[in-house]
Amino acid sequence: AQGLGGEERRPLAQALAILQKGDDVGIDYNGTDYGRAFKDFAEKFLGKVTNKTTVLILGHARNNYGDSETDILRSIKEKSKRIIWLNPEPPSLWGTGDSEIKKYSPYCFSVKECSTLRHLQRVVDYLLKTD
């Protein structure tokens, strides 16, 4: 069967199994690469970022020892109103192993732990107060 956008429709269990493996969906499971993500963002969207733009990054900042590309994050910071990074890991793990959050945090308006609904509520309350 075909979906509304012409995509192939599958039973939920089969679709979830495909997503978990990454088969035929163009997902690369070779590990996180924030440097590549920042390059892609800059190529596709940096021209649309203004001093009214809040950039929200959701992720653990573990870069698998790749190039952190902090110069690109600095460019995003310079063009945007602010960057807010929500990290699902507890702060005690930040900067351990391949975590680049300590390299990224100087370019962020705020870096917050966010792995529960309570954390998310606190972040939303914080954003409402700082906007």
Side-chain angles (χ1 to χ4, degrees):
Q2 295 289 317
L4 295 175
E7 73 279 357
E8 187 175 342
R9 295 181 56 101
R10 299 182 178 178
L12 180 60
Q14 183 183 11
L16 289 174
I18 290 169
L19 284 173
Q20 287 174 335
K21 292 183 200 170
D23 295 342
D24 301 321
V25 292
I27 295 174
D28 181 4
Y29 284 113
N30 290 329
T32 309
D33 185 345
Y34 284 88
R36 178 76 254 161
F38 293 149
K39 284 181 183 178
D40 290 346
F41 180 88
E43 290 171 10
K44 295 175 185 175
F45 305 109
L46 190 59
K48 296 179 182 187
V49 174
T50 71
N51 62 356
K52 295 181 179 182
T53 304
T54 295
V55 176
L56 183 62
I57 301 172
L58 312 170
H60 53 45
R62 292 195 175 273
N63 205 32
N64 291 294
Y65 302 100
D67 189 341
S68 59
E69 298 291 352
T70 54
D71 55 327
I72 297 173
L73 191 60
R74 181 185 314 110
S75 296
I76 297 168
K77 177 191 181 210
E78 290 169 355
K79 289 197 73 175
S80 67
K81 178 179 179 180
R82 62 188 173 185
I83 297 173
I84 297 171
W85 195 304
L86 304 182
N87 189 327
E89 293 187 335
S92 61
L93 294 178
W94 297 0
T96 64
D98 63 342
S99 172
E100 299 283 13
I101 197 66
K102 291 191 176 187
K103 287 183 182 177
Y104 295 142
S105 61
Y107 306 103
C108 299
F109 175 80
S110 180
V111 177
K112 301 279 187 188
E113 177 184 6
C114 189
S115 62
T116 66
L117 287 175
R118 182 173 295 185
H119 288 152
L120 185 58
Q121 182 61 51
R122 287 179 186 155
V123 168
V124 170
D125 291 345
Y126 170 79
L127 291 174
L128 291 172
K129 289 177 188 173
T130 61
D131 197 24

mmCIF file with all atom_site columns, all heavy atoms in Angstrom, residues 16 27 40 42 52 59 85-86 95-96 104-105 110:
data_model
loop_
_atom_site.group_PDB
_atom_site.id
_atom_site.type_symbol
_atom_site.label_atom_id
_atom_site.label_alt_id
_atom_site.label_comp_id
_atom_site.label_asym_id
_atom_site.label_entity_id
_atom_site.label_seq_id
_atom_site.pdbx_PDB_ins_code
_atom_site.Cartn_x
_atom_site.Cartn_y
_atom_site.Cartn_z
_atom_site.occupancy
_atom_site.B_iso_or_equiv
_atom_site.pdbx_formal_charge
_atom_site.auth_seq_id
_atom_site.auth_comp_id
_atom_site.auth_asym_id
_atom_site.auth_atom_id
_atom_site.pdbx_PDB_model_num
ATOM 1  N N   . LEU A 1 16  ? 8.938  -0.778 12.377 1.00 0.00 ? 16  LEU A N   1
ATOM 2  C CA  . LEU A 1 16  ? 9.833  -0.587 13.513 1.00 0.00 ? 16  LEU A CA  1
ATOM 3  C C   . LEU A 1 16  ? 11.086 -1.447 13.382 1.00 0.00 ? 16  LEU A C   1
ATOM 4  O O   . LEU A 1 16  ? 12.197 -0.997 13.690 1.00 0.00 ? 16  LEU A O   1
ATOM 5  C CB  . LEU A 1 16  ? 9.112  -0.887 14.823 1.00 0.00 ? 16  LEU A CB  1
ATOM 6  C CG  . LEU A 1 16  ? 8.048  0.139  15.235 1.00 0.00 ? 16  LEU A CG  1
ATOM 7  C CD1 . LEU A 1 16  ? 7.295  -0.348 16.466 1.00 0.00 ? 16  LEU A CD1 1
ATOM 8  C CD2 . LEU A 1 16  ? 8.666  1.500  15.478 1.00 0.00 ? 16  LEU A CD2 1
ATOM 9  N N   . ILE A 1 27  ? 19.345 5.661  6.807  1.00 0.00 ? 27  ILE A N   1
ATOM 10 C CA  . ILE A 1 27  ? 19.852 6.019  8.126  1.00 0.00 ? 27  ILE A CA  1
ATOM 11 C C   . ILE A 1 27  ? 21.237 5.412  8.272  1.00 0.00 ? 27  ILE A C   1
ATOM 12 O O   . ILE A 1 27  ? 21.438 4.227  8.020  1.00 0.00 ? 27  ILE A O   1
ATOM 13 C CB  . ILE A 1 27  ? 18.923 5.512  9.250  1.00 0.00 ? 27  ILE A CB  1
ATOM 14 C CG1 . ILE A 1 27  ? 17.569 6.209  9.159  1.00 0.00 ? 27  ILE A CG1 1
ATOM 15 C CG2 . ILE A 1 27  ? 19.551 5.738  10.614 1.00 0.00 ? 27  ILE A CG2 1
ATOM 16 C CD1 . ILE A 1 27  ? 16.542 5.664  10.125 1.00 0.00 ? 27  ILE A CD1 1
ATOM 17 N N   . ASP A 1 40  ? 26.278 20.149 7.884  1.00 0.00 ? 40  ASP A N   1
ATOM 18 C CA  . ASP A 1 40  ? 25.012 20.040 7.147  1.00 0.00 ? 40  ASP A CA  1
ATOM 19 C C   . ASP A 1 40  ? 24.081 21.184 7.494  1.00 0.00 ? 40  ASP A C   1
ATOM 20 O O   . ASP A 1 40  ? 23.450 21.782 6.610  1.00 0.00 ? 40  ASP A O   1
ATOM 21 C CB  . ASP A 1 40  ? 24.321 18.700 7.451  1.00 0.00 ? 40  ASP A CB  1
ATOM 22 C CG  . ASP A 1 40  ? 25.045 17.505 6.866  1.00 0.00 ? 40  ASP A CG  1
ATOM 23 O OD1 . ASP A 1 40  ? 25.939 17.688 6.009  1.00 0.00 ? 40  ASP A OD1 1
ATOM 24 O OD2 . ASP A 1 40  ? 24.724 16.375 7.282  1.00 0.00 ? 40  ASP A OD2 1
ATOM 25 N N   . ALA A 1 42  ? 24.892 24.165 8.597  1.00 0.00 ? 42  ALA A N   1
ATOM 26 C CA  . ALA A 1 42  ? 25.429 25.406 8.037  1.00 0.00 ? 42  ALA A CA  1
ATOM 27 C C   . ALA A 1 42  ? 25.154 25.500 6.537  1.00 0.00 ? 42  ALA A C   1
ATOM 28 O O   . ALA A 1 42  ? 24.738 26.558 6.039  1.00 0.00 ? 42  ALA A O   1
ATOM 29 C CB  . ALA A 1 42  ? 26.923 25.504 8.313  1.00 0.00 ? 42  ALA A CB  1
ATOM 30 N N   . LYS A 1 52  ? 17.039 36.641 15.720 1.00 0.00 ? 52  LYS A N   1
ATOM 31 C CA  . LYS A 1 52  ? 15.790 36.265 16.393 1.00 0.00 ? 52  LYS A CA  1
ATOM 32 C C   . LYS A 1 52  ? 15.627 34.750 16.492 1.00 0.00 ? 52  LYS A C   1
ATOM 33 O O   . LYS A 1 52  ? 14.648 34.260 17.038 1.00 0.00 ? 52  LYS A O   1
ATOM 34 C CB  . LYS A 1 52  ? 14.595 36.858 15.652 1.00 0.00 ? 52  LYS A CB  1
ATOM 35 C CG  . LYS A 1 52  ? 14.578 38.370 15.680 1.00 0.00 ? 52  LYS A CG  1
ATOM 36 C CD  . LYS A 1 52  ? 13.372 38.919 14.964 1.00 0.00 ? 52  LYS A CD  1
ATOM 37 C CE  . LYS A 1 52  ? 13.400 40.434 15.038 1.00 0.00 ? 52  LYS A CE  1
ATOM 38 N NZ  . LYS A 1 52  ? 12.229 41.030 14.411 1.00 0.00 ? 52  LYS A NZ  1
ATOM 39 N N   . GLY A 1 59  ? 20.731 16.305 22.152 1.00 0.00 ? 59  GLY A N   1
ATOM 40 C CA  . GLY A 1 59  ? 21.650 15.192 21.975 1.00 0.00 ? 59  GLY A CA  1
ATOM 41 C C   . GLY A 1 59  ? 22.714 15.125 23.037 1.00 0.00 ? 59  GLY A C   1
ATOM 42 O O   . GLY A 1 59  ? 22.925 16.062 23.801 1.00 0.00 ? 59  GLY A O   1
ATOM 43 N N   . TRP A 1 85  ? 21.221 23.778 24.321 1.00 0.00 ? 85  TRP A N   1
ATOM 44 C CA  . TRP A 1 85  ? 21.551 22.362 24.134 1.00 0.00 ? 85  TRP A CA  1
ATOM 45 C C   . TRP A 1 85  ? 20.909 21.568 25.254 1.00 0.00 ? 85  TRP A C   1
ATOM 46 O O   . TRP A 1 85  ? 21.171 21.811 26.426 1.00 0.00 ? 85  TRP A O   1
ATOM 47 C CB  . TRP A 1 85  ? 23.066 22.172 24.171 1.00 0.00 ? 85  TRP A CB  1
ATOM 48 C CG  . TRP A 1 85  ? 23.511 20.838 23.642 1.00 0.00 ? 85  TRP A CG  1
ATOM 49 C CD1 . TRP A 1 85  ? 23.120 19.608 24.070 1.00 0.00 ? 85  TRP A CD1 1
ATOM 50 C CD2 . TRP A 1 85  ? 24.439 20.624 22.587 1.00 0.00 ? 85  TRP A CD2 1
ATOM 51 N NE1 . TRP A 1 85  ? 23.738 18.628 23.356 1.00 0.00 ? 85  TRP A NE1 1
ATOM 52 C CE2 . TRP A 1 85  ? 24.565 19.226 22.424 1.00 0.00 ? 85  TRP A CE2 1
ATOM 53 C CE3 . TRP A 1 85  ? 25.194 21.468 21.769 1.00 0.00 ? 85  TRP A CE3 1
ATOM 54 C CZ2 . TRP A 1 85  ? 25.400 18.660 21.477 1.00 0.00 ? 85  TRP A CZ2 1
ATOM 55 C CZ3 . TRP A 1 85  ? 26.022 20.897 20.824 1.00 0.00 ? 85  TRP A CZ3 1
ATOM 56 C CH2 . TRP A 1 85  ? 26.123 19.511 20.682 1.00 0.00 ? 85  TRP A CH2 1
ATOM 57 N N   . LEU A 1 86  ? 20.077 20.612 24.880 1.00 0.00 ? 86  LEU A N   1
ATOM 58 C CA  . LEU A 1 86  ? 19.445 19.707 25.842 1.00 0.00 ? 86  LEU A CA  1
ATOM 59 C C   . LEU A 1 86  ? 20.130 18.353 25.734 1.00 0.00 ? 86  LEU A C   1
ATOM 60 O O   . LEU A 1 86  ? 20.080 17.705 24.694 1.00 0.00 ? 86  LEU A O   1
ATOM 61 C CB  . LEU A 1 86  ? 17.950 19.581 25.575 1.00 0.00 ? 86  LEU A CB  1
ATOM 62 C CG  . LEU A 1 86  ? 17.160 20.889 25.573 1.00 0.00 ? 86  LEU A CG  1
ATOM 63 C CD1 . LEU A 1 86  ? 15.683 20.622 25.335 1.00 0.00 ? 86  LEU A CD1 1
ATOM 64 C CD2 . LEU A 1 86  ? 17.377 21.650 26.858 1.00 0.00 ? 86  LEU A CD2 1
ATOM 65 N N   . GLY A 1 95  ? 31.808 15.519 29.293 1.00 0.00 ? 95  GLY A N   1
ATOM 66 C CA  . GLY A 1 95  ? 33.252 15.650 29.183 1.00 0.00 ? 95  GLY A CA  1
ATOM 67 C C   . GLY A 1 95  ? 34.001 14.347 29.384 1.00 0.00 ? 95  GLY A C   1
ATOM 68 O O   . GLY A 1 95  ? 35.227 14.326 29.332 1.00 0.00 ? 95  GLY A O   1
ATOM 69 N N   . THR A 1 96  ? 33.300 13.253 29.594 1.00 0.00 ? 96  THR A N   1
ATOM 70 C CA  . THR A 1 96  ? 33.958 11.955 29.749 1.00 0.00 ? 96  THR A CA  1
ATOM 71 C C   . THR A 1 96  ? 33.966 11.237 28.409 1.00 0.00 ? 96  THR A C   1
ATOM 72 O O   . THR A 1 96  ? 33.080 11.431 27.575 1.00 0.00 ? 96  THR A O   1
ATOM 73 C CB  . THR A 1 96  ? 33.248 11.075 30.795 1.00 0.00 ? 96  THR A CB  1
ATOM 74 O OG1 . THR A 1 96  ? 31.924 10.774 30.333 1.00 0.00 ? 96  THR A OG1 1
ATOM 75 C CG2 . THR A 1 96  ? 33.194 11.758 32.148 1.00 0.00 ? 96  THR A CG2 1
ATOM 76 N N   . TYR A 1 104 ? 31.542 22.363 23.328 1.00 0.00 ? 104 TYR A N   1
ATOM 77 C CA  . TYR A 1 104 ? 30.389 23.023 22.714 1.00 0.00 ? 104 TYR A CA  1
ATOM 78 C C   . TYR A 1 104 ? 29.735 24.059 23.625 1.00 0.00 ? 104 TYR A C   1
ATOM 79 O O   . TYR A 1 104 ? 29.190 25.054 23.160 1.00 0.00 ? 104 TYR A O   1
ATOM 80 C CB  . TYR A 1 104 ? 29.339 21.990 22.291 1.00 0.00 ? 104 TYR A CB  1
ATOM 81 C CG  . TYR A 1 104 ? 29.783 21.047 21.200 1.00 0.00 ? 104 TYR A CG  1
ATOM 82 C CD1 . TYR A 1 104 ? 29.417 19.702 21.218 1.00 0.00 ? 104 TYR A CD1 1
ATOM 83 C CD2 . TYR A 1 104 ? 30.568 21.484 20.142 1.00 0.00 ? 104 TYR A CD2 1
ATOM 84 C CE1 . TYR A 1 104 ? 29.807 18.833 20.215 1.00 0.00 ? 104 TYR A CE1 1
ATOM 85 C CE2 . TYR A 1 104 ? 30.960 20.605 19.133 1.00 0.00 ? 104 TYR A CE2 1
ATOM 86 C CZ  . TYR A 1 104 ? 30.575 19.292 19.178 1.00 0.00 ? 104 TYR A CZ  1
ATOM 87 O OH  . TYR A 1 104 ? 30.967 18.435 18.179 1.00 0.00 ? 104 TYR A OH  1
ATOM 88 N N   . SER A 1 105 ? 29.774 23.824 24.919 1.00 0.00 ? 105 SER A N   1
ATOM 89 C CA  . SER A 1 105 ? 29.015 24.679 25.839 1.00 0.00 ? 105 SER A CA  1
ATOM 90 C C   . SER A 1 105 ? 29.400 26.159 25.811 1.00 0.00 ? 105 SER A C   1
ATOM 91 O O   . SER A 1 105 ? 28.517 26.999 26.015 1.00 0.00 ? 105 SER A O   1
ATOM 92 C CB  . SER A 1 105 ? 29.056 24.126 27.263 1.00 0.00 ? 105 SER A CB  1
ATOM 93 O OG  . SER A 1 105 ? 30.361 24.070 27.744 1.00 0.00 ? 105 SER A OG  1
ATOM 94 N N   . SER A 1 110 ? 22.690 28.197 26.893 1.00 0.00 ? 110 SER A N   1
ATOM 95 C CA  . SER A 1 110 ? 22.352 27.326 28.006 1.00 0.00 ? 110 SER A CA  1
ATOM 96 C C   . SER A 1 110 ? 22.550 25.875 27.594 1.00 0.00 ? 110 SER A C   1
ATOM 97 O O   . SER A 1 110 ? 22.250 25.500 26.456 1.00 0.00 ? 110 SER A O   1
ATOM 98 C CB  . SER A 1 110 ? 20.898 27.559 28.419 1.00 0.00 ? 110 SER A CB  1
ATOM 99 O OG  . SER A 1 110 ? 20.537 26.729 29.482 1.00 0.00 ? 110 SER A OG  1
#
